[in-house]
């Protein structure tokens, strides 16, 4: 599932391409909103809220969530798409650019004034200019579950996914099964904020400081391979009981105790 920095970059690209321009093509290929038409209205901008995209057009907001496979692509009007039409869920075009949403897991159209109905439950977002570290720490520290599960819960803090959870816990030397209430959540969130803000402007996310392919992560996706610090084999396990959530985690049994 895309992490918050990926969604942030997507929102920025859509904003730069569409904001201030009039919609000349609007097509939502989902049954509930198939007849919606916002042509003639002006794109006011696009923002990210955690892993949610909010494209504001006139007085309405086109909400989308990428989940595992979704993406937004930009084309010149009339340019051939890289994906087959049956995978397209949303099209927002202007005279100069066309945004095409492919394999989007969620597509909804709502009045902008009602955005909180969709994203009001989210915890503080470290990529938001109004990032509230104290509130995020309060929510995370009050969670009775393991720190891995609590960190993924978007109600505690918005934007961190499985890769961030695994890598941040490694960097802080915390075993994923540790109860969130006994973790120094202030230090963990301070690190998470620094890392995700550093990655939001990079074309390739890195936690090791190395951008070369295969060398960007300490533990994520490296089960059975030696830890880059101590050589102990990285382990893989699952946390949480909800099959719809990200449950797989990776850790070094020597560096994380």
């Amino acid at each position: 599932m895309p992490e918050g920095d990926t969604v942030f970059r997507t929102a920025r690209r859509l904003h730069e391409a569409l904001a201030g321009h009039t919609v000349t093509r609007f097509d939502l290929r989902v049954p509930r909103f198939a007849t919606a038409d916002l042509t003639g209205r002006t794109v006011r901008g696009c923002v990210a809220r955690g892993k949610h995209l909010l494209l504001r057009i006139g007085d309405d907001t086109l909400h989308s969530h990428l989940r595992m496979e979704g993406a937004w692509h930009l084309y010149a009007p009339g340019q051939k798409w890289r994906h087959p039409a049956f995978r397209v869920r949303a099209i927002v075009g202007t005279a100069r650019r066309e945004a095409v949403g492919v394999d989007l897991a969620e597509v909804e159209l709502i009045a902008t004034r009602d955005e909180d109905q969709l994203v009001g439950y989210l915890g503080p977002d470290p990529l938001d200019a109004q990032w509230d570290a104290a509130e995020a720490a309060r929510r995370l520290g009050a969670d009775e579950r393991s720190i891995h599960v609590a960190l993924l819960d978007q109600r505690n803090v918005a934007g961190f996914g499985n890769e961030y959870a695994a890598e941040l816990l490694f960097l802080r030397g915390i075993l994923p099964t540790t109860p969130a209430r006994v973790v120094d959540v202030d230090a963990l969130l301070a690190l998470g904020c620094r890392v995700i803000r550093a990655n939001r402007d990079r074309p390739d996310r890195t936690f090791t400081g190395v951008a070369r392919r295969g060398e960007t992560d300490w533990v994520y996706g490296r089960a059975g391979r030696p830890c880059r610090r101590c050589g102990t084999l990285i382990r893989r396990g699952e946390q949480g009981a909800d099959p719809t959530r990200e449950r797989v985690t990776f850790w070094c049994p020597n560096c994380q105790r």
Side-chain angles (χ1 to χ4, degrees):
M1 184 177 293
E3 307 275 354
D5 50 7
T6 299
V7 180
F8 180 91
R9 286 193 298 274
T10 300
R12 183 168 55 191
R13 288 192 300 107
L14 291 175
H15 181 88
E16 292 172 349
L18 304 176
H21 296 275
T22 301
V23 175
T24 57
R25 182 181 183 184
F26 189 82
D27 185 4
L28 299 185
R29 299 180 177 182
V30 293
R32 183 180 174 189
F33 302 106
T35 61
D37 185 6
L38 299 187
T39 56
R41 303 189 190 184
T42 301
V43 179
R44 294 189 293 113
C46 187
V47 297
R49 290 289 179 268
K51 298 183 181 183
H52 299 257
L53 278 166
L54 303 173
L55 180 59
R56 294 163 179 160
I57 305 171
D59 295 327
D60 294 298
T61 295
L62 175 58
H63 163 258
S64 60
H65 199 298
L66 306 182
R67 296 290 180 188
M68 293 297 293
E69 306 295 337
W72 280 92
H73 300 281
L74 291 168
Y75 299 94
Q79 183 181 355
K80 184 178 180 180
W81 297 342
R82 295 192 295 272
H83 297 85
F86 72 85
R87 294 174 58 187
V88 173
R89 296 292 177 267
I91 305 167
V92 180
T94 68
R96 61 188 294 272
R97 298 290 272 171
E98 190 170 75
V100 179
V102 179
D103 295 330
L104 302 176
E106 297 178 29
V107 177
E108 298 175 272
L109 191 63
I110 192 170
T112 300
R113 65 176 179 273
D114 297 328
E115 283 181 357
D116 273 357
Q117 294 180 12
L118 297 175
V119 296
Y121 73 94
L122 294 173
D125 183 344
L127 292 180
D128 193 316
Q130 305 302 317
W131 161 242
D132 189 340
E135 175 60 15
R138 184 192 69 78
R139 296 188 186 200
L140 193 61
D143 201 307
E144 292 297 320
R145 298 169 296 177
S146 72
I147 187 60
H148 176 85
V149 174
L151 197 57
L152 289 178
D153 192 329
Q154 302 298 291
R155 295 170 297 182
N156 291 330
V157 55
F160 293 138
N162 228 20
E163 185 176 6
Y164 267 95
E167 292 296 300
L168 293 178
L169 293 178
F170 173 82
L171 289 169
R172 288 291 302 164
I174 302 169
L175 196 66
T177 53
T178 305
R181 65 179 182 274
V182 304
V183 171
D184 184 347
V185 293
D186 291 290
L188 178 62
L189 289 171
L191 173 65
C193 185
R194 290 197 305 273
V195 174
I196 200 169
R197 289 186 177 187
N199 277 327
R200 70 184 174 189
D201 298 321
R202 291 177 174 140
D204 298 300
R205 180 186 305 126
T206 181
F207 296 92
T208 62
V210 178
R212 288 188 295 273
R213 186 174 181 178
E215 299 181 32
T216 59
D217 293 284
W218 292 100
V219 293
Y220 183 76
R222 301 191 67 247
R225 300 173 66 183
C227 173
R228 299 186 193 279
R229 281 184 176 170
C230 71
T232 303
L233 296 184
I234 300 300
R235 293 184 183 176
R236 177 187 187 277
E238 293 189 359
Q239 298 253 333
D242 187 343
T244 66
R245 296 180 182 273
E246 300 172 86
R247 297 190 297 164
V248 177
T249 188
F250 302 85
W251 73 96
C252 172
N254 181 58
C255 295
Q256 294 168 259
R257 303 195 176 201

